[in-house]
Amino acid sequence: MIENTFGINIIPDNDSGRLLALKRYRIMDTPSEASFDNIADLCTKIFKVPISLISLVDAERVFFKANVGMGKVKEANRGKSLCALAVLDPEVTIFEDALKEPCLIANPNVAGEFGLRFYAGAPLITYDGFLIGTLCIIDQQPRVFSKEEEIILKGLATAVMDQIELRLSALEEIGKQQTTNEELIQQKEEVQSINEELTVINEELNESRQNLQVLNENLKKSEKRFRELIEQAPVAISIYSGEELIIEAANARMLDLLGRTAEIIGQPLLKARPELITHPYLQVIRGVLGSGKDHMGLAVKAPVLRLGKVVERYYDVNYRAIKDEWGKVTGVIAVGIDVSEKIASSLRETEMAEELAVMNEELLATNEDLISSKDYLMLINEHLNKSESRFRGILQQATAGIMVCYGKALIIESVNDMMLTIISKSKDIIQRPFADAMPELKGQPFLKLLDDVYTSGLTYIANETKAIVNRNGELVEGYFNISYQAIKSDNELITGILIVATDVTQQVASKKAVQKAEDMLRFSIEAANIGTFIINQTTRVMVASPRLKEIFGYYPDEEMPYDAAVVQISEEHRERVVASVEAAFEKGEDYFLEYSLIGFHDQQLRWVRAVGKLNQYTADGEMYFSGAIIDITEQKQDEQRKNDFIAMVSHELKTPLTSLKGYLQILEQKAKKAQESSAILMHDKASTQVKRMISMINGFLNVSRLDSGKIHIAKECFNMTSLFKEADEEACSTISTHQVVFSQIESAMLNADRDKIGQVINNFISNAVKYSPSGSLVIVNSKIIGRQLLVEVKDQGRGIKPEDKDKLFDRFYRVVNDDVISGFGIGLYLCAEIIERHEGEIGVESKFGEGSTFWFSLPIYEN
C-alpha cells in the first residue's frame, strides 16, 4: 500500500494506462545492465553529485534500474520517493533546497538521517506520452540548478528511454528468431523426407534402366539444368562430410569466395584451407557435426585467399547439419555471403527460399519428362508428383517472400503466401503481368531494375531498400532485402526472373532508434562542453573530439596523436597521468585525475578533470581506453582567489588579535593584584576565545599555504619521548573537563617537523575532548610496528557514522552533530596533509555509539 508522505495527490489521472505502458517493457526487477549504469555514472560526473538513479515507478513501489551512490538499495515505497512526484510533470522536477519545500518537510528522506537537500528528476517519457520513471540526481547539500543543466539532464533522460525501447526491440527480435529456427527445423525434416523418397525412385529407375534409356537421357539433361541453377545461385554453397570434414561439393561462388579451385573437392577441409586451423568457426563447424544443432553467424571475420595472399573478409554464414533417415548427422552444408563492403541483414531465409525454388523447378522439369513415359512410368510419376507437392508446400512455408515471373512481360507464374503478405495481395495476381499487379511501384526504380535483370541476366541484390507499398489500401513506407535473379534455359536464354524479398522494416527502425540514441548522447556530451577520446590499447592510436583538441590548444581539424597530447601536460603532472593510463590498460583500473596543461598553439595554462575506463573487446578484437575531459580552469582560479582572500583576511585579523591578547595579559596582571576573582574568571574565558580564534586563523593560513605550496616542513631528528611529555603537560594545564592519559607509550627517533607533528597530536586530543562526554577518558598510545611508529588517540564519545568516516579528512568537511557545534573542517585536513608530506599514513577506526580511535604512523629514523 502507498504511504503518502507528501500531503498531495501523487497518483496521475492516467495511472492505469501508465502502469500498462511500464509493464510492456518487461524491465521491472531485472538485473543491472551496463548501458543504464554507465548513463547514471556519467550523471554523477557531469553534475558533480554523489547520487544518480534511474527509477521506474510501479503501482506501489519505485524500482531502481541503475543506482550510483545509494549502496545496494533496489527499490523504495512510492509514497516516500520523490520520483513519484517527478512522473506527474513532463518537465524536469527540481528541489534546490528540500527544507524550503512545504510538501517535503515531513518526507523521511528529507527529515531523516539520509538528509536529502537537492533533487532533480527528468521523467522517462514513452513514445505514446506516458511517464514511467525518472533519471534523477541527488545531493545532501542545497544546490542551484541552471537551465543549461536542466537541458542536459532532460537529454540524458531521453537517452535512457531510447535504451529502454532498444532493449524491448531486442527482446522481441529474440522471440522472432526462436520462431524462425523452429520453422527451419521443420523445413529441414521435410527436405529429409523428400530425399528418402527420391532414393526409392532412384532404385526403381536403376532396375528399369534398359527400358528407360530415353528417360535417363532426359533426366541427365534435367540434372545438368539443376546443377546449372545451383551454380547460378547468388550465394556460396559447400558440403562437408564425415569426421574429417571432406569437401563433398562446392559451387563456383564458394570456390571464388575461398580463393580456391575445384581441386579442393574431395580433400579434408583443413588440408584445403590450412588458414582455418586457428579460426573459431572451425570449432563451430565441428560443433554442428557433433551436436546436430544448426549455427548462423552474422558479419563473421574469416581468412581467405586473394591473389595468393590470406586476407580478412566478413561473411554471413549458415551451417546446417545433414542427417540420414535415422537422424544421424553425416555432414554439414555451409552457405556463405560476402558482406565485406556492406554488412547486410541475414539472408538465410532468402537462401532457403532460393534453394527451394531451384529444387521445385527441377521437380517440375522431371515431372514433365516422366509424363512423356507410358504406363510403365506411372508409379514413378506418382512418386514425383508427391515430391513436387511436398516441395510446393515447403515453398509456401518459407519465411522469405518468393515469386516466379516468366517472359518479357514478367507474367506472375507462382507466388508464396509470405510474398502475398509482404505486398498485401491475393492469389488473383497469378497469371497477371507484374507491373499490372503492383501499380503502386510505378515511379519507383523496381520495374526498371527487373527489366535490366531480364535483359542483362545479371543478378541484382539490395539490402534495406526503401519502397512505397500498398498495405490494406494505404500506401506506406517499408524497407526490404530483395534479390532479382534471371532464370535461364539450357541454351542460356533468359525465360523469367526469380524474385525473393524479406521485410526488414522493423530492423531498420531499430537501427534508426540506435542512431537516435547515439545522436542524443552525443548532443548531451557537446552540451556539457566535454572533450572525449578513445585510445587503442595495442597501437596507442588516439581519436580525439574537436572539443578535446581545443582544450589541448589544437585546431579542430588538426591531428593530435597520443604522444603529442602527453607532451602538453604540465611536467609536474605528466608522469602521474601516463602511469594512470597504463594502469587502466594493464589492470583495468578506473581513471580519475585533475592536472594542468599548456595549450599547443595558444600556450594557455588550463586545469582539467579527466575520467575514463577500459572498454570491452570490439568486433576487431581490440580493447580501447575511452574517457572524457572537462576544462575546470575557471573553478581552479576561483579556488585560488578564495585562498588568496582567506590568507589576506587571516593576516589582517591576526594584528588586532595580537593586540587584544596583549591587553588581556595586562588586565590579568591588574586583576591578580586587585584580587578580583570575577575579573580573573572573565579574563580566562576571554583568553580561551582568543586562543581559539588564533587557532582557526592559523588553520586558514596553513590551508592557503598548502594550496600555494608555501607551507614549509622543517625536518629534524628528535626523540618522540620529549614530544609526548610536552603534549601531556599541555593537556594537564589546559584540559580540566576530561582525563587525558598517556598509556603504553613506546618511543622512537623520527626525522620530521617536530612542531607540526605536535600539532597533529594536539589536534587529535582536542577533538577527542570536544566530541566525548565530560569526565570521560582520552587515552594516548604509541607502539612500534616494523619500521613505523604508530600513534593512537582513543575517546569514549558517540563515534562516527559510516557516511562521514571516508570524508573526515577532506577540506571543509564538517560532521553534523545535534549537541556539538562543528568547526570549519580544516583541522583534520591539515593533519592529513602534514602526515602525507612526511610519507606517513593517517586514519580513523570508529563504530557509531562506541567511540573513535584516530591514528597516524611515521617511518622511524635509522642511522
Side-chain angles (χ1 to χ4, degrees):
M1 175 176 288
I2 299 177
E3 182 184 343
N4 191 338
T5 63
F6 300 108
I8 59 174
N9 183 19
I10 61 172
I11 306 299
D13 294 336
N14 66 343
D15 202 51
S16 58
R18 189 190 67 80
L19 292 175
L20 289 175
L22 173 61
K23 184 176 181 181
R24 73 171 176 243
Y25 289 103
R26 292 179 280 172
I27 195 172
M28 293 295 291
D29 299 316
T30 57
S32 61
E33 300 177 39
S35 58
F36 297 101
D37 292 342
N38 290 340
I39 294 178
D41 186 55
L42 181 61
C43 280
T44 62
K45 291 180 173 61
I46 290 176
F47 299 107
K48 301 177 184 177
V49 294
I51 299 170
S52 178
L53 305 170
I54 295 176
S55 65
L56 299 165
V57 182
D58 204 347
E60 297 182 355
R61 64 193 177 101
V62 177
F63 168 67
F64 300 134
K65 179 60 180 173
N67 176 348
V68 175
M70 284 281 286
K72 297 182 179 180
V73 177
K74 297 299 292 183
E75 63 178 44
N77 185 280
R78 180 176 176 179
K80 299 178 181 179
S81 174
L82 271 65
C83 296
L85 298 177
V87 298
L88 299 177
D89 191 339
E91 296 301 321
V92 178
T93 298
I94 302 171
F95 299 113
E96 294 185 335
D97 188 347
L99 288 179
K100 297 180 180 179
E101 301 294 334
C103 66
L104 301 182
I105 293 177
N107 186 276
N109 292 320
V110 177
E113 286 188 358
F114 180 73
L116 184 148
R117 293 295 178 268
F118 169 81
Y119 174 92
L124 306 180
I125 306 176
T126 68
Y127 67 88
D128 46 0
F130 289 106
L131 282 61
I132 63 171
T134 68
L135 170 62
C136 66
I137 55 176
I138 298 171
D139 202 342
Q140 292 165 315
Q141 301 293 332
R143 296 171 59 99
V144 175
F145 202 63
S146 68
K147 191 65 179 178
E148 289 78 11
E149 290 175 313
E150 181 179 345
I151 293 173
I152 295 172
L153 182 62
K154 196 170 184 179
L156 290 171
T158 302
V160 173
M161 193 64 231
D162 289 340
Q163 288 292 331
I164 294 175
E165 294 286 357
L166 290 176
R167 184 181 182 278
L168 177 60
S169 297
L171 291 175
E172 292 173 349
E173 192 63 26
I174 291 172
K176 289 182 179 180
Q177 183 63 45
Q178 291 174 345
T179 303
T180 301
N181 290 339
E182 293 172 358
E183 291 173 351
L184 290 175
I185 292 172
Q186 184 178 356
Q187 292 172 6
K188 179 181 176 182
E189 292 174 352
E190 293 287 343
V191 172
Q192 179 67 34
S193 178
I194 293 168
N195 287 337
E196 293 173 0
E197 293 184 5
L198 289 176
T199 301
V200 175
I201 293 173
N202 187 51
E203 291 174 355
E204 293 176 353
L205 288 174
N206 286 334
E207 293 174 359
S208 306
R209 65 181 179 276
Q210 296 298 326
N211 298 324
L212 301 177
Q213 184 173 358
V214 176
L215 177 61
N216 286 338
E217 291 297 327
N218 292 335
L219 290 175
K220 288 180 180 179
K221 291 179 180 179
S222 298
E223 180 181 357
K224 178 182 178 183
R225 182 167 176 246
F226 178 76
R227 291 184 178 276
E228 289 172 348
L229 289 174
I230 291 295
E231 285 296 325
Q232 296 173 25
V235 295
I237 302 174
S238 60
I239 299 175
Y240 310 122
S241 62
E243 294 292 333
E244 294 186 357
L245 298 176
I246 304 298
I247 303 175
E248 186 177 328
N251 66 358
R253 285 183 180 271
M254 178 61 80
L255 295 174
D256 180 65
L257 181 149
L258 301 177
R260 301 297 203 282
T261 65
E263 293 179 354
I264 68 171
I265 296 176
Q267 295 182 4
L269 178 59
L270 271 182
K271 181 178 180 182
R273 299 187 65 199
E275 67 271 14
L276 288 180
I277 190 167
T278 59
H279 197 274
Y281 265 80
L282 178 62
Q283 298 302 322
V284 172
I285 298 173
R286 287 175 173 165
V288 173
L289 184 68
S291 66
K293 294 181 179 179
D294 298 343
H295 175 83
M296 182 186 70
L298 299 178
V300 176
K301 184 166 70 174
V304 296
L305 279 179
R306 285 290 185 273
L307 301 177
K309 294 183 178 180
V310 177
V311 297
E312 300 286 353
R313 302 284 290 178
Y314 288 91
Y315 304 95
D316 287 350
V317 295
N318 192 344
Y319 299 122
R320 300 184 58 200
I322 302 173
K323 299 179 181 179
D324 58 21
E325 57 185 323
W326 296 284
K328 181 180 179 182
V329 179
T330 60
V332 177
I333 181 169
V335 178
I337 299 175
D338 191 336
V339 293
S340 298
E341 302 300 327
K342 180 180 180 182
I343 299 177
S345 299
S346 173
L347 297 178
R348 56 187 179 279
E349 293 89 354
T350 303
E351 297 163 6
M352 185 65 181
E354 291 172 348
E355 180 182 0
L356 294 175
V358 172
M359 296 177 72
N360 186 46
E361 290 294 325
E362 175 59 23
L363 287 176
L364 288 172
T366 303
N367 190 42
E368 291 173 359
D369 293 334
L370 291 175
I371 292 174
S372 63
S373 302
K374 295 183 181 181
D375 295 339
Y376 185 79
L377 302 176
M378 290 293 291
L379 181 59
I380 297 174
N381 193 41
E382 182 180 352
H383 283 296
L384 290 177
N385 284 335
K386 289 182 179 179
S387 298
E388 179 184 356
S389 175
R390 188 161 296 173
F391 271 107
R392 286 187 181 274
I394 294 173
L395 179 67
Q396 287 299 327
Q397 298 173 30
T399 57
I402 302 173
M403 178 185 290
V404 178
C405 302
Y406 67 89
K408 181 69 173 177
L410 297 180
I411 305 300
I412 298 174
E413 180 180 356
S414 62
V415 59
N416 70 350
D417 292 340
M418 180 56 71
M419 180 64 84
L420 292 175
T421 300
I422 291 174
I423 63 178
S424 295
K425 306 291 182 184
S426 67
K427 291 186 178 180
D428 294 342
I429 65 172
I430 296 176
Q431 296 305 318
R432 292 176 59 189
F434 182 83
D436 293 344
M438 301 284 292
E440 61 268 24
L441 294 183
K442 291 181 180 179
Q444 300 185 58
F446 305 106
L447 296 178
K448 185 179 183 305
L449 289 172
L450 286 166
D451 186 68
D452 291 343
V453 172
Y454 191 90
T455 303
S456 66
L458 298 176
T459 299
Y460 175 79
I461 298 175
N463 296 311
E464 298 180 1
T465 297
K466 184 172 74 174
I468 305 300
V469 296
N470 189 322
R471 291 284 168 82
N472 301 320
E474 182 181 355
L475 294 180
V476 298
E477 182 182 279
Y479 291 85
F480 306 89
N481 293 342
I482 58 175
S483 170
Y484 299 154
Q485 178 184 341
I487 300 174
K488 300 179 181 179
S489 62
D490 291 342
N491 54 3
E492 295 297 317
L493 292 177
I494 297 174
T495 61
I497 294 180
L498 172 66
I499 302 174
V500 180
T502 305
D503 189 343
V504 293
T505 304
Q506 186 173 358
Q507 293 91 316
V508 172
S510 297
K511 288 184 180 179
K512 289 183 177 181
V514 171
Q515 184 62 42
K516 180 180 178 182
E518 292 177 350
D519 291 343
M520 183 58 67
L521 183 58
R522 189 178 300 109
F523 167 77
S524 299
I525 291 174
E526 292 174 355
N529 210 18
I530 298 173
T532 59
F533 63 87
I534 298 176
I535 305 175
N536 183 288
Q537 182 188 34
T538 304
T539 65
R540 295 300 193 270
V541 172
M542 181 173 74
V543 178
S545 69
R547 173 56 182 156
L548 185 69
K549 294 178 183 178
E550 180 183 350
I551 291 173
F552 275 78
Y554 284 80
Y555 302 130
D557 56 350
E558 188 176 7
E559 291 293 328
M560 187 181 75
Y562 171 67
D563 293 339
V566 169
V567 172
Q568 304 312 127
I569 299 172
S570 300
E571 188 173 351
E572 64 267 26
H573 302 293
R574 191 179 302 153
E575 183 177 348
R576 178 170 57 93
V577 174
V578 172
S580 296
V581 173
E582 294 302 319
F585 275 127
E586 295 173 5
K587 304 176 184 178
E589 295 180 359
D590 287 344
Y591 173 84
F592 187 91
L593 291 175
E594 288 186 1
Y595 57 86
S596 61
L597 56 87
I598 303 295
F600 179 65
H601 289 296
D602 55 23
Q603 294 296 302
Q604 288 189 13
L605 174 67
R606 296 183 179 89
W607 278 90
V608 298
R609 180 180 295 118
V611 295
K613 67 186 302 183
L614 193 65
N615 294 329
Q616 298 191 9
Y617 283 97
T618 58
D620 58 7
E622 297 286 350
M623 292 189 74
Y624 291 86
F625 177 65
S626 61
I629 292 180
I630 304 174
D631 189 339
I632 60 170
T633 304
E634 185 174 350
Q635 176 185 336
K636 283 289 185 179
Q637 291 173 346
D638 289 342
E639 290 180 0
Q640 184 60 45
R641 286 190 286 267
K642 179 186 66 178
N643 290 334
D644 292 342
F645 174 76
I646 291 173
M648 179 189 70
V649 172
S650 298
H651 277 294
E652 294 298 325
L653 288 175
K654 286 188 72 175
T655 300
L657 279 175
T658 302
S659 299
L660 180 60
K661 185 177 181 181
Y663 291 140
L664 286 173
Q665 290 175 346
I666 295 173
L667 288 175
E668 180 186 18
Q669 294 173 359
K670 291 184 176 181
K672 287 182 177 179
K673 288 181 179 179
Q675 296 183 349
E676 295 182 3
S677 58
S678 59
I680 294 173
L681 179 62
M682 295 298 293
H683 166 269
D684 292 342
K685 291 183 178 180
S687 296
T688 300
Q689 296 301 319
V690 168
K691 288 180 180 179
R692 184 182 178 193
M693 181 64 74
I694 292 174
S695 176
M696 286 191 293
I697 291 173
N698 288 334
F700 283 126
L701 281 172
N702 286 331
V703 170
S704 176
R705 290 166 181 164
L706 277 173
D707 289 340
S708 61
K710 296 179 181 178
I711 191 169
H712 180 62
I713 300 295
K715 290 187 177 181
E716 60 178 301
C717 292
F718 65 93
N719 193 305
M720 281 293 291
T721 300
S722 60
L723 191 58
F724 285 135
K725 183 178 180 181
E726 290 178 8
D728 190 4
E729 292 174 350
E730 182 173 350
C732 291
S733 62
T734 59
I735 299 173
S736 60
T737 58
H738 293 69
Q739 293 182 337
V740 181
V741 178
F742 284 73
S743 171
Q744 300 179 0
I745 297 296
E746 291 186 28
S747 187
M749 290 293 295
L750 299 182
N751 183 24
D753 189 316
R754 190 176 186 279
D755 290 340
K756 289 184 172 56
I757 300 303
Q759 180 182 341
V760 174
I761 296 173
N762 290 332
N763 183 279
F764 279 7
I765 295 173
S766 175
N767 282 347
V769 170
K770 183 177 181 181
Y771 293 103
S772 59
S774 179
S776 61
L777 281 175
V778 175
I779 302 175
V780 182
N781 293 329
S782 68
K783 54 186 173 181
I784 297 174
I785 302 177
R787 297 182 178 180
Q788 300 281 322
L789 176 67
L790 176 67
V791 179
E792 297 177 328
V793 177
K794 299 181 180 181
D795 63 52
Q796 297 176 336
R798 64 187 303 173
I800 301 167
K801 296 178 181 179
E803 59 266 27
D804 293 324
K805 188 175 178 182
D806 295 334
K807 303 176 183 178
L808 277 178
F809 297 99
D810 293 348
R811 182 168 57 177
F812 302 132
Y813 185 79
R814 304 171 67 189
V815 176
V816 178
N817 288 288
D818 298 332
D819 52 355
V820 178
I821 300 175
S822 300
F824 288 99
I826 58 175
L828 289 178
Y829 166 71
L830 285 171
C831 291
E833 289 292 330
I834 290 170
I835 297 302
E836 181 179 347
R837 297 195 181 201
H838 283 82
E839 299 180 355
E841 295 183 3
I842 191 169
V844 60
E845 301 294 334
S846 179
K847 188 173 181 181
F848 190 64
E850 299 182 8
S852 305
T853 299
F854 284 83
W855 60 269
F856 68 86
S857 63
L858 293 173
I860 297 173
Y861 176 71
E862 298 178 356
N863 293 327

